[in-house]
Amino acid sequence: MESEMKTDIDVPVKATRVSFDVVEVLRALDGAGVTEVAEELDLPRSTVHDHLRTLEQLELVVNDDGTYKTGTRFLEFGGYARQRMKVFEVAKPELQNLAEQTGEHSNLMVEEHGRGVFLYKTEGQNAVKLDTYNGYRVHLQTTALGKAMMAHMDEENVRDILDRHGMPATTDRTITDEDELFAEFEEIRERGYAIDREERVRGMICIAAPLLNDDEVLGAISVSGPKNRMQGERFEEEIPRQVLRIANVIEVNMTHA
Amino acid sequence: MESEMKTDIDVPVKATRVSFDVVEVLRALDGAGVTEVAEELDLPRSTVHDHLRTLEQLELVVNDDGTYKTGTRFLEFGGYARQRMKVFEVAKPELQNLAEQTGEHSNLMVEEHGRGVFLYKTEGQNAVKLDTYNGYRVHLQTTALGKAMMAHMDEENVRDILDRHGMPATTDRTITDEDELFAEFEEIRERGYAIDREERVRGMICIAAPLLNDDEVLGAISVSGPKNRMQGERFEEEIPRQVLRIANVIEVNMTHA
DNA sequence: TAAAATTGTACGGTATTACCGGAACGGGGG
DNA sequence: CCCCCGTTCCGGTAATACCGTACAATTTTA
C-alpha cells in the first residue's frame, strides 16, 4: 500500500520535479510540516526543507507557523492562463444563462495533456454541492464532457490518451472497456450530445455538447444534476435542447466575434 | 530600461527558481518560443529548453508546436487552495448578492506574502470590464481593499510590508507617502470602511470593508464601479451601508457556521 | 531557386549544487 | 525543570544543472 505521490517520470531538471512533488504533497495533505512531507516523499528532512524554503520565497507556498500550505499564487498563473483563453471568455456568460435556465450546474471543460479540465462552472438555484472546482482534472472518459470531446477527436489521438492515462473507474458505472467507449462515440456523434449516467459520481447525471470549429475540438459544455431531477421529458428533450442551443451560440461567437 | 524578469532573490534550490522564472516569462509574453525565453532571461537556449521540457512533462506548460504557453494546471492548484479557504466559501454567495444589489463589481481580497490577492470577483449587470482576474495580485496600498486590511493590522507588520514591496504608484492619485497612508488608516478605522478614488485605476472608485475576527484580519470585500456612478448619496450612504452589512454577515458566518 | 539565417531539439563534459547526515535550536507538555 | 518532537542550520560529496556545440527543419533573404 504505497502512497505513490512522486511523479516517477524522468525529466531533464530533477530539482524542479522534486519541488513540484512537494507542492503536490502539500495539496494532498491539506498543508503539512517538513517531516510529514519528507516521510511522504521518502526524502531527508533537510532536502524537503530546502525546497519548501525555495517555494516560500517564490511565494508559491505559505508558511503558517511551521505548517506549509499551497498559496494562492498558483491561482494567479491559472487565472491568467484561463482568462487568455477565448473559449472561456465567450462561454462564461452563456453558461451563466444556462445555469439560470435550468437551475442546475453548468460546466465548461477543455482537454489538456489528455486530461479533462473543468475550466469554469457555475451554479443554478437548485444546484447541489459538487466535488469539482475550477481547474479540477478528470479522466476524459469518466464524464459526458470528456466523451463529447473524444467523440470528435482523431481516433489515433484518443487511443494515445487512453494508453497514457488508462481507464480507471470512479463508480461501478464508469466505462472501462475501450470497445464499448468507441461504440458510444458513434451514438454521441449521431445524437449530437453525450450523457453521463452516474459514471463519475454516484447519483449525478450529466448532459454535454461539444464545442467544435470545423474539425477542431475547442471544448465541451454541460448541465449536470441529481438523478431524481434528470429524467423524463426534461432529461430526454428539454435539457439537451438547451445545452445544444447554447453550444451553438458559443461556437458562432467563437468564429465570428 | 531593463525588463527585470528574473527573480533576483537567493533561494536554496536554484533550479526551481529558474523553472519558475521561465513560467513567469511565458505568462508575461503570452506564450513564447525557446529562443525568446532564453533571450529574456539571458540564458543559453539549451538550458531553457531543459526547463521547458520539464515543465511540459509536469503538465504545467503546454507545447503548442514550438511555442510554449502556461497551462491550466496552475488553476488546479490555485482552485484547490482557494476552495479550502473558509473565507472564500462563506463570502462567495454573499458577494453574489452584493453584486446583484448594486449592479457593480464586488470583490474579495486576502493578504498573502504582503500582497493583496483578488480571491474572487463577481459582476453585476452594469459592471464594466476590469483588468483584474482571480488570483491577481496588487500592492495593498493601491486599493481600498488593501487599505481596509492594513488599517486593522499591527503597525509593525504594515511597515514590514511597505519596506518589502515599496509603494509604487499606478495612477497619479496612488498614495505614495507613508505618513499620509497611516493617517488614512485612522479615518478608515473610525469610518468603518475604506475608499479608493482612482488610486489604482483611473476612473474607478471602490468602497471596501474589512473582514475581522477579533484582532485577526481575514480579508476584505468591496464594491467598485466607474466614477460617474459612484457619487452623491449612493456613494456616501447606500453602497457603504450595503458593503458593511454584507461584511458583517460574512464575519458572523465565519465564526459561527 | 538556392543559400543563409533562425528555430527547436539533442548530447556530452564539467563546474556547480542539490542532496544528505548530523547537530543545534526552539517550543510545548509533562 | 527537563524531555521530546519538529524545525532549522551547516559542510562534504556525489550527482546534475548548466553550457557549448551540433543537427534537422523551417523561414527568410538574395
Side-chain angles (χ1 to χ4, degrees):
Chain A
M1 186 65 78
E2 225 170 298
S3 64
E4 205 50 61
M5 183 58 54
K6 237 185 277 193
T7 38
D8 51 359
I9 46 175
D10 199 43
V11 293
V13 185
K14 292 179 183 160
T16 297
R17 184 171 61 83
V18 175
S19 281
F20 187 69
D21 287 340
V22 169
V23 173
E24 281 209 306
V25 170
L26 287 185
R27 186 170 66 104
L29 301 182
D30 251 46
V34 177
T35 308
E36 219 173 336
V37 176
E39 278 172 5
E40 192 74 26
L41 292 173
D42 198 30
L43 287 173
R45 286 196 299 257
S46 46
T47 301
V48 172
H49 185 253
D50 282 344
H51 285 272
L52 282 172
R53 272 186 61 83
T54 302
L55 291 165
E56 189 192 356
Q57 290 200 52
L58 296 175
E59 303 189 0
L60 294 169
V61 152
V62 184
N63 183 349
D64 187 11
D65 199 45
T67 59
Y68 293 83
K69 299 179 179 180
T70 57
T72 56
R73 185 140 198 214
F74 289 103
L75 205 64
E76 184 182 18
F77 288 95
Y80 186 79
R82 184 175 72 161
Q83 182 171 275
R84 222 194 35 225
M85 293 180 151
K86 192 178 174 192
V87 67
F88 168 70
E89 289 293 340
V90 172
K92 189 180 168 188
E94 303 301 334
L95 285 178
Q96 285 165 351
N97 290 340
L98 190 56
E100 230 171 275
Q101 285 169 30
T102 60
E104 308 285 355
H105 277 279
S106 79
N107 308 285
L108 169 66
M109 181 179 282
V110 296
E111 179 262 341
E112 195 178 286
H113 292 284
R115 305 261 290 166
V117 183
F118 281 95
L119 209 58
Y120 183 69
K121 69 161 188 174
T122 180
E123 295 148 27
Q125 296 78 28
N126 309 318
V128 295
K129 193 143 178 62
L130 227 70
D131 62 329
T132 57
Y133 48 83
N134 290 334
Y136 189 75
R137 303 189 149 213
V138 295
H139 284 79
L140 286 168
Q141 80 283 352
T142 62
T143 65
L145 291 150
K147 290 192 292 183
M149 288 193 282
M150 289 175 115
H152 294 271
M153 290 164 57
D154 295 343
E155 180 169 333
E156 186 193 12
N157 195 355
V158 174
R159 303 259 183 213
D160 273 1
I161 290 171
L162 295 176
D163 284 353
R164 188 142 41 107
H165 298 290
M167 298 179 65
T170 60
T171 75
D172 54 352
R173 304 218 178 170
T174 307
I175 300 174
T176 54
D177 181 69
E178 207 166 304
D179 293 336
E180 191 185 337
L181 187 62
F182 276 92
E184 195 173 328
F185 290 162
E186 197 78 32
E187 292 178 48
I188 291 168
R189 282 190 293 266
E190 285 171 20
R191 196 199 293 129
Y193 60 92
I195 300 171
D196 160 15
R197 300 171 192 266
E198 307 184 71
E199 290 161 38
R200 194 182 71 80
V201 179
R202 271 238 81 108
M204 289 296 290
I205 306 273
C206 184
I207 292 177
L211 302 174
L212 305 173
N213 179 21
D214 292 329
D215 289 349
E216 194 187 6
V217 178
L218 306 171
I221 63 167
S222 75
V223 164
S224 59
K227 183 164 64 168
N228 62 338
R229 284 206 297 261
M230 300 292 275
Q231 49 187 338
E233 193 271 344
R234 183 164 190 258
F235 169 73
E236 302 275 355
E237 299 287 341
E238 189 182 338
I239 301 265
R241 192 173 53 239
Q242 289 172 307
V243 173
L244 285 170
R245 192 177 65 76
I246 296 289
N248 191 35
V249 170
I250 295 171
E251 284 174 347
V252 170
N253 285 340
M254 281 295 289
T255 51
H256 287 56
Chain B
M1 186 65 78
E2 227 170 300
S3 67
E4 205 51 61
M5 183 57 54
K6 233 184 282 195
T7 38
D8 51 357
I9 46 175
D10 197 45
V11 293
V13 186
K14 291 177 186 162
T16 296
R17 183 171 62 85
V18 175
S19 281
F20 187 70
D21 287 340
V22 169
V23 172
E24 280 209 308
V25 169
L26 287 186
R27 185 170 67 103
L29 301 183
D30 252 44
V34 177
T35 308
E36 220 174 334
V37 177
E39 279 172 4
E40 192 75 27
L41 293 173
D42 198 31
L43 287 172
R45 282 202 306 261
S46 47
T47 300
V48 171
H49 188 255
D50 282 343
H51 285 273
L52 282 171
R53 272 186 61 83
T54 302
L55 291 165
E56 188 193 357
Q57 291 200 51
L58 296 175
E59 302 189 1
L60 294 168
V61 152
V62 184
N63 182 349
D64 188 10
D65 199 46
T67 60
Y68 292 83
K69 299 178 180 180
T70 57
T72 56
R73 185 141 199 213
F74 289 103
L75 205 65
E76 184 182 16
F77 287 96
Y80 185 81
R82 185 176 71 163
Q83 180 171 277
R84 221 194 36 225
M85 293 180 150
K86 193 177 174 190
V87 67
F88 168 70
E89 289 292 339
V90 171
K92 188 180 165 188
E94 303 301 335
L95 286 179
Q96 284 164 351
N97 290 341
L98 190 55
E100 229 171 278
Q101 285 170 28
T102 60
E104 308 286 354
H105 277 279
S106 79
N107 308 285
L108 169 65
M109 181 178 282
V110 296
E111 179 262 342
E112 194 177 288
H113 291 285
R115 305 262 288 164
V117 182
F118 280 95
L119 209 57
Y120 183 68
K121 69 160 187 173
T122 181
E123 295 149 26
Q125 295 78 28
N126 310 319
V128 294
K129 192 142 181 62
L130 229 70
D131 62 329
T132 58
Y133 47 85
N134 289 334
Y136 189 77
R137 303 187 151 217
V138 295
H139 285 78
L140 286 168
Q141 79 283 353
T142 62
T143 65
L145 291 150
K147 290 191 291 183
M149 287 193 282
M150 289 174 114
H152 293 271
M153 289 163 59
D154 295 343
E155 179 168 334
E156 186 193 14
N157 195 356
V158 174
R159 302 258 183 216
D160 272 1
I161 290 172
L162 294 177
D163 283 352
R164 188 141 41 105
H165 297 290
M167 299 179 66
T170 59
T171 75
D172 54 351
R173 303 219 180 171
T174 307
I175 300 174
T176 54
D177 181 70
E178 208 166 303
D179 293 337
E180 190 186 338
L181 187 62
F182 276 93
E184 194 172 330
F185 291 162
E186 196 79 31
E187 291 178 47
I188 292 169
R189 282 191 292 266
E190 285 171 18
R191 197 200 293 131
Y193 61 91
I195 301 171
D196 160 14
R197 302 171 191 265
E198 307 184 72
E199 290 161 38
R200 193 183 71 80
V201 179
R202 271 239 80 108
M204 289 296 291
I205 306 273
C206 184
I207 293 178
L211 303 174
L212 306 174
N213 179 21
D214 292 330
D215 288 349
E216 192 186 7
V217 178
L218 306 171
I221 64 168
S222 75
V223 165
S224 59
K227 183 165 64 168
N228 61 339
R229 284 205 298 263
M230 301 292 275
Q231 50 187 335
E233 193 271 343
R234 184 165 189 256
F235 169 75
E236 302 275 356
E237 300 286 340
E238 190 184 336
I239 301 264
R241 192 173 55 238
Q242 289 172 309
V243 172
L244 285 170
R245 194 178 63 78
I246 295 289
N248 191 36
V249 170
I250 295 171
E251 284 174 347
V252 170
N253 285 339
M254 281 296 290
T255 50
H256 287 57

